[in-house]
Amino acid sequence: MKLSEIREILQCEVLAGEEDLQVEVYQVVASDGMSEILAFAKSKELMITGLTNIQSIRTADIAGVSAVLYCRGKRPDKKVIEFAKQKRIPVLITQMVMFDICGILYNKGLKGVS
Amino acid sequence: MAAELLRESFEIQGRNFDKAGEVSGEIKVILRDLGIEAVNLRRLVIVAFEAEMNVVMYARRGTLTLILTDEDVNLEVRDEGPGIPDIELAFKEGYSTASDEMREMGFGFGMGLPNMKKNSDELKVESEVGKGTLVCAKIRLNSNA
């Protein structure tokens, strides 16, 4: 599924990487625990988290995910967004909660990593 | 005997959460530019990042030394910190001594050392309570485990 489709489905606002929304993702890694993301991500996933600090983008970079989606309307500060742009990691935010996001994306055919 | 191609040390500041992970990010760029293959690169930056986070969370300061040879990449992380009283227990998935502050940062869920073990070909941890900890990790460049 393209990031642009995910933006539509989850009614996301794009904070970084507007130009990279044609990227395809097939799997999702969702957690507020950064070590869990690092343990399960295999690269190129969509990372969903409620943690909006700088560590979330550092983790995304280290884990090699394709994009970061922040849930429940949480908005990272400017410094975090700038860092994501520098690392060329698209950042989306949605008002939806983690459970709903995962349910919707699962129904659309995306799978989790394990 | 493996030929050493690169040796570089990086300082890690304890308790500085803003900068936490910077060293690992830098290492990723250095090794990627040297053409280290993606799977190995990913494994070793995960080890570096978890080790760096442990230093930031627990220690006063630390040093990460990156040693690249023609056979493997070695990471040596030495810190001045509280040390680990029971190393075997620290390796148990889910075991953690993290504070609420560390958990709010998204770390301290008892996955750090297990992640480091999973992503290295050899991992050695030596620690002295009250003095500090030394972590040595080796990632072989021909393995894709």
Side-chain angles (χ1 to χ4, degrees), chain B residues 37-79:
Chain B
E37 186 263 335
V39 174
N40 286 324
L41 179 63
R42 199 170 163 284
R43 293 176 74 212
L44 69 94
V45 291
I46 288 177
V47 176
F49 188 45
E50 292 282 13
E52 185 180 355
M53 287 309 301
N54 276 345
V55 173
V56 174
M57 290 194 290
Y58 291 102
R60 289 183 297 281
R61 56 174 300 280
T63 309
L64 187 154
T65 304
L66 168 72
I67 306 143
L68 171 69
T69 78
D70 54 357
E71 292 176 1
D72 48 42
V73 179
N74 297 275
L75 297 167
E76 289 180 12
V77 185
R78 191 182 294 274
D79 73 38

Side-chain angles (χ1 to χ4, degrees), chain A:
Chain A
M1 185 184 288
K2 285 197 169 67
L3 291 176
S4 54
E5 292 171 65
I6 292 171
R7 173 177 63 179
E8 294 307 314
I9 294 166
L10 303 176
Q11 295 153 34
C12 298
E13 184 182 335
V14 180
L15 302 183
E18 188 85 47
E19 65 284 6
D20 290 322
L21 295 186
Q22 294 311 307
V23 167
E24 289 269 356
V25 292
Y26 303 95
Q27 289 192 300
V28 175
V29 58
S31 180
D32 289 349
M34 295 300 102
S35 288
E36 275 199 46
I37 304 267
L38 293 169
F40 294 110
K42 294 188 171 69
S43 84
K44 313 268 184 219
E45 295 90 352
L46 171 69
M47 166 177 158
I48 307 173
T49 186
L51 192 86
T52 53
N53 61 23
I54 191 100
Q55 298 310 325
S56 60
I57 300 297
R58 288 203 191 279
T59 300
D61 177 42
I62 297 289
V65 301
S66 286
V68 175
L69 170 63
Y70 293 117
C71 61
R72 53 181 189 273
K74 292 181 84 179
R75 188 175 282 271
D77 67 30
K78 256 194 195 138
K79 199 171 67 180
V80 176
I81 299 167
E82 282 311 309
F83 187 55
K85 285 180 181 167
Q86 188 195 322
K87 293 289 175 185
R88 225 176 154 182
I89 299 169
V91 174
L92 296 86
I93 60 170
T94 175
Q95 297 297 322
M96 291 183 197
V97 296
M98 178 84 93
F99 182 82
D100 290 347
I101 296 168
C102 293
I104 291 167
L105 295 181
Y106 190 89
N107 271 335
K108 295 279 182 189
L110 289 182
K111 292 283 181 282
V113 285
S114 53

